[in-house]
Amino acid sequence: MYRYDEFDHTLVAERVSQFRGQVARRVAGELTEEEFKPLRLMNGLYLQLHAYMLRVAIPYGVLSSLQMRKLAHIARVYDKGYGHFTTRQNIQYNWPKLPDVPDILDELAEVEMHAIQTSGNCIRNVTADQYAGVAGDEIEDPRIYAEIMRQWSTLHPEFSFLPRKFKIAITGAPNDRAAVKVHDIGLRMVRNEAGEPGFEVLVGGGQGRTPMIAHTVRDFLPIRHLLSYLEAILRVYNQLGRRDNKYKARIKILVHETGAEKFTAMVEDEWAQIKDTPLALPESEVARIKAYFAPPEYDTLDDNSPEFDAWRGGDRDFDLWVRANVAEHKVPGYAIANISLKPIGGTPGDATADQMEAVADLADRFSLGEIRVSHEQNLVLGDVKKRDLYALWQALKTHDLATANIGLISDMITCPGLDYCSLANARSIPIAQEISERFADLERQHDIGELKLKISGCINACGHHHVGHIGILGVDKKGVEHYQITLGGNADQNAAIGKIVGPAFSGDDVTDAVETIVETYLDIRADGESFLDTYQRAGLEPFKERLYAAH
Amino acid sequence: MPLIKDGELIDDPWLRVADDQDLPDGPVIVSLERWQAAGDDVAAHNGPLGVVLASDQSPDLIGDDLGRFDLVALDFPAFTDGRAYSYARLLRERLGFKGEVRAVGNVLRDQVAFMVRCGFDAFDMADVNAAEAFRQALAEVSVTYQPAGDARRPAMALRQS
């Protein structure tokens, strides 16, 4: 993985002391809360319902075991013993005290981490495919370019006061695991006719109250022009994005109101004027960063592991875990192991300090000391030998980290909702917990198959409900929490926004409604059809009929 | 209002003149509207001329006239309105403007380091300790990660050498 050099170390250290000064000025009353707000937001510090919340960046979702131990330490010393992994590959601490925050940032800097630009109207943490570097379908490792973008966007003098926050995601593979079509900018690695790698550039996707799928503005961008093209997009947006209404300020609205074709022309025109400036990426710099992500020296193994097969055959629980949580690795004899942070009845995405330390230890023991965080709020060990999977699984079980539900109905994305968030209209976590309990039977979940359920506690859509196969949106109806259900959303390469199935349900009824939807699917599915396949074939009607028949 | 020019606190030699006021001799700053109205008084003005652009007025609007101005002031109606960062870069890097580029409006010490990098060289700051605040703000972060409108070499370039 990437390691800081003197420049990176210096910048992060200086940024911490700068923020320490800003906090001191706030505590001394030299800055009003209004003046302090944009400064703390540039450093990931929010004021929530009950306390400050600190959001720490995990650039493109990659952590060393050392860094994971530091996150555990911070949870234990400065917070209440846990942290929350988010859909943007960050970790949030819900209870830090303001005067402690500079110390927390100092501790993070020791392990080459920071909270820079994890909030505010600037370019946020760049996210990437959690299987980067180990997936067989990959064209190139997207983390190389995510790191280049991390550096370019850090304290960018022109783009630190944009009309609104700005999110970039990159995938190196045709199978999109990074939801790039619902980001302000999405990058997909592709090859041109000559076989050279480059990027398809998509702009204007997003969720929130006006969900949109991104438009392709360029089919192929050579690698050396990555930064100049991003700068052209951002410059057009910074000048023309709406600043009169925060709900219309994202780039998706600019693209929509301008028209994708005209917007593209403006970007291309700007780009033509800056493409051959010092923004052009020197090959040597790409090579320097690429070297950090060079594949490790893998052992030469037989892809078949008789021990592994025997354990699978002899232990039904292990077999279920392998089916749901283990993905194919590009190297024979290795596997990608997903660690679910969605135990039945738990808070999706939360991990205790003990669990974080356990994962760090297991990463050292079984997976070259590296951990990834997925946008679906789970953890990944990317380089596990197949013959070690059984021992890994047994160790995970002792820490309540072995739930065999990746991609299944209880593997929900859920925002913090009204339990923490000052924007929420409704609670999300208790609904997630109730649905998870209802479907606690893993055999039943496996029978239902792939089903992505996503819950947001308000229209800002942090829980990605628009792109859930089943989406649940918390709304406030005359002071009472209600939940609107959408069907058919999808965040992958075939991204789609879900459709509202009908009137909202009360908190008491929403779990029953989800069960009715699932039962309807099981009744009408054809052989081999996933939930999404069935929805796409049959549409909303059969679900609607069953849901509202009694009313 | 204290004015910081090239890092020093100075007495502002420029006078910003409202659209309904007569133009006195000497350095004056007029609005884009007054410039575009092309009154005889502006054309015949005896002394240096500056123009102030509101945050929705791109320097492209004065691109052909830049030779006439010694100063372009870019307004920040709120520090959160960041359009003028792009405008300053366009003025310097695209339009080649060599005169003073002044930040006016809600100009705070925590933004000036960004402004300098985009090409601003004068700052109308409300801060009572403006000069000291300015010096401190510019000394806070020594590393840059991207080329911009100033001469600083970003980490990417320094690594090559």
Side-chain angles (χ1 to χ4, degrees), chain A residues 132-144:
Chain A
V134 292
D137 58 356
E138 189 169 276
I139 290 170
E140 261 203 279
D141 191 330
R143 295 173 300 178
I144 301 159

Side-chain angles (χ1 to χ4, degrees), chain A residues 337-412:
Chain A
N338 286 274
I339 300 173
S340 171
L341 295 182
K342 321 286 177 66
I344 299 302
T347 301
D350 274 13
T352 65
D354 290 346
Q355 287 178 321
M356 291 184 224
E357 278 165 358
V359 170
D361 291 346
L362 293 171
D364 281 340
R365 220 172 116 197
F366 294 117
S367 194
L368 307 172
E370 192 185 273
I371 302 130
R372 292 95 178 289
V373 181
S374 78
H375 88 271
E376 292 177 316
Q377 301 180 281
N378 294 307
L379 303 177
V380 178
L381 298 182
D383 293 299
V384 184
K385 289 175 184 157
K386 279 187 181 171
R387 62 174 184 232
D388 289 338
L389 283 168
Y390 192 66
L392 169 65
W393 173 73
Q394 286 182 309
L396 288 171
K397 271 205 299 186
T398 63
H399 297 281
D400 198 18
L401 289 168
T403 313
N405 64 348
I406 296 294
L408 306 180
I409 189 167
S410 62
D411 178 16
M412 290 169 246

Side-chain angles (χ1 to χ4, degrees), chain A residues 81-150:
Chain A
Y82 67 96
H84 177 73
F85 290 96
T86 77
T87 58
R88 299 218 70 259
Q89 298 176 320
N90 299 304
I91 182 169
Q92 294 181 175
Y93 294 107
N94 285 304
W95 312 96
K97 293 183 199 66
L98 178 60
D100 284 345
V101 172
D103 295 338
I104 298 174
L105 297 176
D106 267 337
E107 296 233 19
L108 289 169
E110 279 173 27
V111 295
E112 309 185 358
M113 294 184 77
H114 60 72
I116 298 169
Q117 289 170 212
T118 55
S119 53
N121 291 338
C122 50
I123 301 167
R124 302 287 189 88
N125 183 33
V126 174
T127 55
D129 179 359
Q130 69 274 16
Y131 294 169
V134 292
D137 58 356
E138 189 169 276
I139 290 170
E140 261 203 279
D141 191 330
R143 295 173 300 178
I144 301 159
Y145 307 102
E147 174 58 27
I148 287 170
M149 290 189 281
R150 181 190 76 80

